[in-house]
Amino acid sequence: GGGVYAQDGALTATSCTIIGNTSSANGGGIYAERATAALTGCDVSDNTTAFSGGGVVLSGGSVATLESCNVTGNRADALVQPSGGGGVYVTSSTAVLRNCDISGNQTDYWGGGLRFEGANSEVTLLDCTLRDNYAEAYAGAVDAYYGGVLTMERCAVTRNTGRSIGTIRIRG
């Protein structure tokens, strides 16, 4: 993680700013592996990574809750396939995002706002906004690949762009 790296532990952050960081691997802003994370009122913005998760990466069985967070203006250059998740990338982990703004993120491949993959992945979006995200390949807002469960309730999904599939792609 360019800004924060959490492995085999717990990360709790309230009213934090994780802005303008760069990673030559995954997770421009935050990288959590086999970790528990709770972020409240945080701003994860304008971060860049060479691979997946411009803003946030959750991997290896991580469990995370993001409440009232902004994940905006992040970029995943995604130099190899499969990769992506301009704002958030989840692999074999569980994430609950409540009242979050996931906007203005971009990736060269899949899932401009959010990408998740793996049969063990679960992503729940409650009262979230996904707006103005861009994916050069598939799914400007959300790309769900290789199984997993996506739940969305009371979310606003507007003006997202993907070159091949515009807004949301779910593929097992």
Side-chain angles (χ1 to χ4, degrees):
V4 176
Y5 182 82
Q7 183 180 36
D8 297 318
L11 167 65
T12 301
T14 303
S15 300
C16 64
T17 54
I18 302 168
I19 298 174
N21 300 287
T22 301
S23 172
S24 60
N26 293 306
I30 299 171
Y31 184 90
E33 182 176 10
R34 297 183 308 273
T36 301
L39 284 74
T40 305
C42 293
D43 187 7
V44 182
S45 299
D46 302 319
N47 300 289
T48 303
T49 182
F51 296 106
S52 293
V56 178
V57 169
L58 304 170
S59 73
S62 292
V63 176
T65 302
L66 282 73
E67 174 98 30
S68 300
C69 292
N70 295 320
V71 181
T72 59
N74 299 289
R75 178 173 175 81
D77 288 334
L79 299 177
V80 297
Q81 287 182 315
S83 54
V88 180
Y89 179 77
V90 178
T91 180
S92 299
S93 296
T94 301
V96 176
L97 287 80
R98 183 176 294 114
N99 196 34
C100 291
D101 181 18
I102 303 170
S103 299
N105 301 290
Q106 60 182 340
T107 182
D108 289 341
Y109 283 106
W110 303 318
L114 167 72
R115 180 165 200 262
F116 75 96
E117 62 182 68
N120 297 328
S121 290
E122 287 189 40
V123 174
T124 302
L125 303 171
L126 305 170
D127 302 304
C128 291
T129 300
L130 292 103
R131 174 184 68 238
D132 297 324
N133 297 292
Y134 176 78
E136 182 66 24
Y138 298 112
V142 178
D143 183 60
Y145 199 57
Y146 297 127
V149 176
L150 172 64
T151 303
M152 297 175 69
E153 296 180 14
R154 300 174 305 279
C155 294
V157 181
T158 58
R159 297 189 313 260
N160 298 282
T161 305
R163 284 187 83 185
S164 296
I165 296 173
T167 302
I168 297 173
R169 176 179 84 147
I170 300 173
R171 180 172 178 221

